[in-house]
Amino acid sequence: MLDTPIARIENLRVEFETKDGTVVGVEDVSFEINAGETVCIVGESGSGKSVASLSLMRLVEYGGGTIAGGRLLFDRNGGGEMDLAQTDQGLMRSIRGNEIGMIFQEPMTALNPVFTIGRQLSEGLQVHRGMDRKQARARALDLLREVRIPEPERRLDQYPHELSGGMRQRVVIAMALACKPRLLIADEPTTALDVTIQAEILALIDRLKRETGTAVVFITHDMAVVAQVADRVVVMFRGNKVEEGPVEQIFEAPTHDYTRALLAAVPKLGEMRGKAYPEPMRLLGSDAHEIVPIKGHDERLLHVSGLTTRFPVKGGFLRRTVANVHAVEDLSFDLDRGRTLSLVGESGCGKSTAGRSILRLVEPMAGHVVLGGTDIMALKGRDLRRARVDMQMIFQDPFASLNPQMKLADQVSEPMRNYGLATKSEMEDRVAMLFDRVELPRSFLRRFPHELSGGQRQRVAIARALALNPKLIVSDEAVSALDVSVQAQVLNLMLELQVDLGLSYLFISHDMAVVERVSHDVGVMYLGRIVERGPRAAVFENPQHPYTQALLTAVPIADPRQRKAEKDLNFKPIPSPIHPVDYEPEPPVYKEVDPGHFVLTSESGY
């Protein structure tokens, strides 16, 4: 590690002008980043951690912010130290992406929807590194391999909407690493990634840091990730730095009350082990006096059998179907009223497609979906629309699922308005009540989505899903964008609603600690199939399938003294889910290893 800091932030103050007056995003923050060092900035959503990083890139002005005070000193490669706060945007363009790389939190907003992945990866290399098109494409291919994207040659010619959320995030990471920057700012880079790829990406960033001396500013709310990668930790709260220190000190002897509360809220894998109740429990927070197990009911709500969803791959002069992507293959499970079934697996394994297929947002090729005695597959038009009152979805990316031109109050009341279920005054009261339930101030009712942080937007999406009092909620990575304290609140909220309203959840997630916390039953997905399914305790405490065992091994531990080395991560590359048109996979065969605990025996593929 060198003595000269690559970047120093001194007394930074950032202000935003809103309809309600000036809002201070960052009040007075100072810290430095040395070469070959990872500084993690942690804090709740809205604490100013992303604003501090956007200021260093001078992108905060494009989001309506103003750097009202302080210095942003950056040691350029051979160019000496300069204050980025005073630098003109022309020079900043040559620094951005070249000397300072940034991995953004929401990949769909960081990627251009009209350009191919290959073009977007090549652009920075051609501009900053002077490569020709062929050299840039070869380097882009290497980058996709480094971030472990399956079939990288095909991906280069695809568009962002053709990739899963986790794959898009890996493309954004590849773009940030393309020019081997001196300083890498990673804003929640692994939020949308599942544990196996997260473990590899963290190892990749760590290796890059060691080999090239790159300094890394890592912004995250995941304390387990902090424990894996940080050298130093900066804790932020309401625009101010409240604590800074080496990672071991922050975890083992935190001095500020906020840091202690943050660490107490971290869900830990294995904390449900040996509990008196096999069910999830509400009121597990620090202020809980009573633990209430959520048993659910024996009444069947959702029955899924043989669900198969494939996407055609077009090719040739006539755009004929030349192959199929087998996204979901022969999926079967049951879900009882008031219970939670979690689907876990790597990005691209088909778990989100399964959730969308059940709601018929994606049209399945075959299978049966019966919700509360109604055959969803047989419904058309108006009948299907009416059935959707009982089933709602919370999407992975709140920025994409909220309308940027509508006020939040209108967005939450829109489902009730569409179905004519309430008068205007009833809607206003219900929307205000929903905002209270998801812990958002009522002053936010007049705001637009871009005026909120990522975690706050996700809470709006949860409030909107609850507006119609549904029986089933398909939660697609609903808490992955939330910081730990808010995540603990939202999970407790979801469990409370489950008890109060008898809700059933199909909980799609890659966060194994969260899944363990909320699930009654767990299904592990791999290449469109469930490879292991059973009660939560059975799957987590006695994993039988090699893929389930690999997933649980990859989960980061919130202890800096138990870091995982790259050599421990021996994941096999995921085979392609694309098969010729005439390919028909053999039907799955399951073995019951314990009562209700099933493991796939045929065509395991792992």
Side-chain angles (χ1 to χ4, degrees):
M1 230 179 271
L2 305 174
D3 296 336
T4 322
I6 278 187
R8 279 186 295 158
I9 292 179
E10 294 179 354
N11 310 107
L12 177 67
R13 182 183 177 88
V14 181
E15 295 173 353
F16 293 85
E17 293 299 327
T18 68
K19 291 190 185 76
D20 301 322
T22 302
V23 173
V24 179
V26 171
E27 202 170 319
D28 181 8
V29 169
S30 303
F31 61 90
E32 57 186 43
I33 311 110
N34 296 312
E37 181 184 45
T38 301
V39 175
C40 276
I41 306 177
V42 297
E44 290 181 293
S45 83
S47 65
K49 53 190 194 299
S50 291
V51 172
S53 68
L54 288 169
S55 302
L56 203 49
M57 290 283 275
R58 286 288 301 283
L59 291 172
V60 75
E61 288 103 313
Y62 295 103
T66 309
I67 297 173
R71 298 199 303 162
L72 304 167
L73 300 170
F74 177 62
D75 183 29
R76 291 196 70 187
N77 196 4
E81 198 171 66
M82 63 187 297
D83 184 1
L84 297 182
Q86 308 298 326
T87 306
D88 72 278
Q89 289 289 359
L91 181 55
M92 281 307 302
R93 271 194 288 275
S94 68
I95 293 174
R96 271 187 223 119
N98 185 21
E99 293 179 52
I100 305 178
M102 183 148 185
I103 303 166
F104 292 94
Q105 184 173 357
E106 283 162 347
M108 210 48 191
T109 53
L111 294 170
N112 191 325
V114 300
F115 293 141
T116 62
I117 299 299
R119 176 160 175 190
Q120 296 188 59
L121 273 169
S122 305
E123 191 176 28
L125 294 164
Q126 289 174 285
V127 170
H128 296 304
R129 288 283 184 263
M131 291 185 182
D132 61 33
R133 189 178 291 183
K134 194 176 174 185
Q135 290 169 322
R137 190 177 169 88
R139 171 81 178 124
L141 194 60
D142 290 341
L143 286 163
L144 290 186
R145 286 198 188 101
E146 272 183 38
V147 293
R148 204 169 141 252
I149 283 190
E151 299 180 282
E153 293 87 353
R154 274 191 66 248
R155 304 291 174 216
L156 285 176
D157 298 317
Q158 287 185 312
Y159 291 88
H161 71 272
E162 296 179 88
L163 306 186
S164 72
M167 281 190 200
R168 284 199 288 263
Q169 187 63 291
R170 283 181 272 168
V171 170
V172 173
I173 291 168
M175 284 168 69
L177 299 176
C179 292
K180 297 185 177 167
R182 276 173 69 70
L183 174 64
L184 179 65
I185 300 170
D187 187 0
E188 306 275 9
T190 58
T191 297
L193 302 180
D194 30 72
V195 283
T196 52
I197 290 154
Q198 172 178 277
E200 292 195 340
I201 292 295
L202 295 180
L204 171 73
I205 292 173
D206 194 53
R207 192 174 74 236
L208 177 92
K209 178 189 82 171
R210 282 197 317 273
E211 289 173 0
T212 63
T214 298
V216 181
V217 177
F218 204 102
I219 297 156
T220 183
H221 58 253
D222 189 333
M223 298 305 280
V225 168
V226 173
Q228 290 298 306
V229 300
D231 296 310
R232 265 188 311 123
V233 181
V234 174
V235 184
M236 282 187 70
F237 180 61
R238 292 186 181 164
N240 286 294
K241 179 177 84 174
V242 294
E243 189 165 355
E244 180 180 1
V247 63
E248 288 89 357
Q249 183 189 319
I250 295 289
F251 273 81
E252 290 163 16
T255 55
H256 198 276
D257 290 343
Y258 176 67
T259 313
R260 285 198 282 267
L262 207 57
L263 287 164
V266 178
K268 296 174 187 71
L269 191 67
E271 69 180 347
M272 301 291 284
R273 188 171 290 216
K275 287 280 197 292
Y277 307 106
E279 295 89 7
M281 294 166 278
R282 67 169 173 161
L283 302 179
L284 273 176
S286 53
D287 55 348
H289 308 297
E290 175 191 16
I291 290 174
V292 184
I294 304 167
K295 291 193 181 303
H297 308 277
D298 292 334
E299 183 191 347
R300 177 76 29 86
L301 175 73
L302 178 69
H303 169 71
V304 177
S305 66
L307 187 70
T308 302
T309 304
R310 296 175 189 165
F311 299 111
V313 177
K314 305 280 187 189
F317 181 63
L318 297 171
R319 307 292 294 154
R320 287 203 182 100
T321 301
V322 293
N324 285 310
V325 179
H326 290 239
V328 176
E329 201 60 53
D330 217 338
L331 205 66
S332 302
F333 59 83
D334 293 316
L335 176 58
D336 291 345
R337 200 176 293 277
R339 288 175 71 86
T340 301
L341 168 72
S342 291
L343 291 180
V344 297
E346 291 189 72
S347 109
C349 73
K351 54 190 191 295
S352 293
T353 304
R356 288 165 191 248
S357 301
I358 288 163
L359 269 64
R360 298 255 315 263
L361 296 174
V362 169
E363 212 50 59
M365 206 181 91
H368 293 282
V369 176
V370 180
L371 180 75
T374 306
D375 184 357
I376 301 297
M377 289 301 174
L379 300 179
K380 289 189 174 67
R382 190 174 293 175
D383 294 333
L384 177 61
R385 186 174 181 273
R386 202 171 292 126
R388 287 206 175 117
V389 171
D390 292 332
M391 46 185 194
Q392 290 291 303
M393 187 155 185
I394 304 166
F395 292 94
Q396 182 173 355
D397 184 350
F399 205 78
S401 65
L402 294 173
N403 187 327
Q405 296 177 314
M406 281 173 76
K407 287 183 179 164
L408 300 175
D410 296 333
Q411 305 213 39
V412 175
S413 63
E414 190 178 29
M416 294 181 276
R417 206 164 41 245
N418 283 349
Y419 286 96
L421 295 179
T423 64
K424 192 170 185 229
S425 64
E426 285 170 346
M427 277 195 288
E428 285 171 2
D429 293 346
R430 181 153 174 78
V431 169
M433 181 275 291
L434 287 166
F435 265 62
D436 293 344
R437 287 219 80 153
V438 296
E439 312 246 344
L440 283 175
R442 291 190 179 188
S443 61
F444 280 24
L445 290 165
R446 296 204 317 277
R447 289 196 181 182
F448 290 91
H450 72 271
E451 297 179 274
L452 271 59
S453 71
Q456 289 165 338
R457 281 197 288 266
Q458 191 61 288
R459 282 186 271 172
V460 173
I462 291 169
R464 186 177 57 183
L466 295 170
L468 294 174
N469 268 343
K471 293 174 186 164
L472 170 71
I473 288 187
V474 177
S475 160
D476 185 3
E477 306 278 11
V479 293
S480 68
L482 304 179
D483 33 71
V484 280
S485 51
V486 177
Q487 191 182 69
Q489 290 166 12
V490 169
L491 290 174
N492 263 334
L493 164 74
M494 289 173 82
L495 294 176
E496 270 175 45
L497 293 165
Q498 189 164 42
V499 175
D500 299 347
L501 309 173
L503 281 172
S504 298
Y505 292 115
L506 181 63
F507 196 86
I508 295 162
S509 181
H510 59 256
D511 189 329
M512 304 298 274
V514 167
V515 165
E516 187 185 36
R517 165 91 169 75
V518 301
S519 308
H520 293 84
D521 302 285
V522 177
V524 180
M525 282 189 75
Y526 180 72
L527 277 182
R529 288 200 157 156
I530 288 181
V531 295
E532 186 161 358
R533 177 169 60 87
R536 188 254 318 143
V539 173
F540 275 83
E541 292 168 27
N542 184 25
Q544 295 290 309
H545 197 277
Y547 180 65
T548 313
Q549 293 163 356
L551 266 185
L552 289 167
T553 306
V555 177
I557 302 161
D559 181 352
R561 299 194 189 278
Q562 293 187 49
R563 291 192 174 180
K564 289 184 166 53
E566 200 168 1
K567 63 179 189 306
D568 302 335
L569 310 171
N570 55 343
F571 302 114
K572 299 175 184 175
I574 303 170
S576 171
I578 298 171
H579 299 287
V581 179
D582 56 356
Y583 173 79
E584 275 304 320
E586 61 181 80
V589 179
Y590 291 93
K591 178 177 145 196
E592 192 168 11
V593 289
D594 282 311
H597 186 182
F598 298 92
V599 180
L600 182 71
T601 56
S602 67
E603 211 191 332
S604 307
Y606 195 84

